Amino acid sequence: MSPVQWRTSRLVLRPVTMADLDAFVAVESALRSRRQPPGQPPDPAYSARLLAAFVDVWEGGELGYWTIRYDGEIAGFGGVRPKRWRDRDCWNLYYRLAPRWWGRGIATEMAREAVAVAAVAHPRWPVLVETRPDNAPAIRVAERAGLTRRPAEPGDEWAVLLLER
């Protein structure tokens, strides 16, 4: 999938690599430390497997998650990658930013770019966000990127936001 990186007005978005592991663990650690009560630091081996799965999507020739650079630093990770959901191919929209970067519109800017890039890669696939029903910031980002919250269906444990094509 090309280009090698994407740019928005403020962000540089490039495919995740295993070289991002320390930054990936740092973001997850910062997020877990803000929970009440604070969560345990992420398991490095699990983090490496998760990041490797993100890298595999790119290596398989498909659009995947990005490393988000803002102001010369890694602010977090996000983007879209293929997912099978309710017997449909779709894009899973993901965003995780270190708390120090919250409130600057970075997740929304990245999400809008991801939605636009996904529309070119597979125009008919919907874009999906599944998040905790009480995760108001994640829901707001999805809505600002054009997704609409769907009514809960029986068995849903997540809030589902969808952008149909």
Side-chain angles (χ1 to χ4, degrees), residues 69-84:
R69 295 189 65 87
Y70 173 77
D71 203 23
E73 297 183 47
I74 293 176
F77 299 87
V80 292
R81 77 172 185 175
K83 179 176 181 165
R84 192 83 179 149

Side-chain angles (χ1 to χ4, degrees), residues 4-155:
V4 174
Q5 68 181 16
W6 290 257
R7 291 183 180 270
T8 68
S9 63
R10 303 179 302 153
L11 308 177
V12 176
L13 308 166
R14 64 159 175 77
V16 295
T17 69
M18 291 309 295
D20 295 320
L21 183 58
D22 288 344
F24 187 74
V25 170
V27 167
E28 189 61 31
S29 294
L31 291 169
R32 290 178 183 203
S33 71
R34 293 185 59 97
R35 292 182 188 156
Q36 291 302 319
Q40 294 295 315
D43 174 57
Y46 174 78
S47 296
R49 286 192 304 275
L50 187 58
L51 191 62
F54 294 173
V55 170
D56 286 347
V57 173
W58 287 105
E59 290 178 353
E62 193 56 83
L63 181 62
Y65 297 147
W66 294 315
T67 299
I68 304 167
R69 295 189 65 87
Y70 173 77
D71 203 23
E73 297 183 47
I74 293 176
F77 299 87
V80 292
R81 77 172 185 175
K83 179 176 181 165
R84 192 83 179 149
W85 178 76
R86 297 187 180 162
D87 297 321
R88 297 174 69 182
D89 289 324
C90 67
W91 292 110
N92 186 70
L93 177 59
Y94 167 84
Y95 30 92
R96 302 282 281 180
L97 294 180
R100 69 181 281 227
W101 301 110
W102 291 356
R104 300 175 195 216
I106 295 169
T108 298
E109 189 171 327
M110 181 284 309
R112 287 178 176 154
E113 182 69 8
V115 167
V117 172
V120 172
H122 290 291
R124 295 182 184 204
W125 289 9
V127 178
L128 168 75
V129 167
E130 294 178 289
T131 190
R132 292 184 326 275
D134 64 343
N135 191 348
I139 291 168
R140 278 193 305 275
V141 167
E143 290 172 339
R144 288 178 184 146
L147 284 71
T148 303
R149 189 163 180 178
R150 297 175 53 119
E153 293 187 17

Side-chain angles (χ1 to χ4, degrees), residues 58 111 142 161-163:
W58 287 105
L161 293 98
L162 199 64
L163 174 61

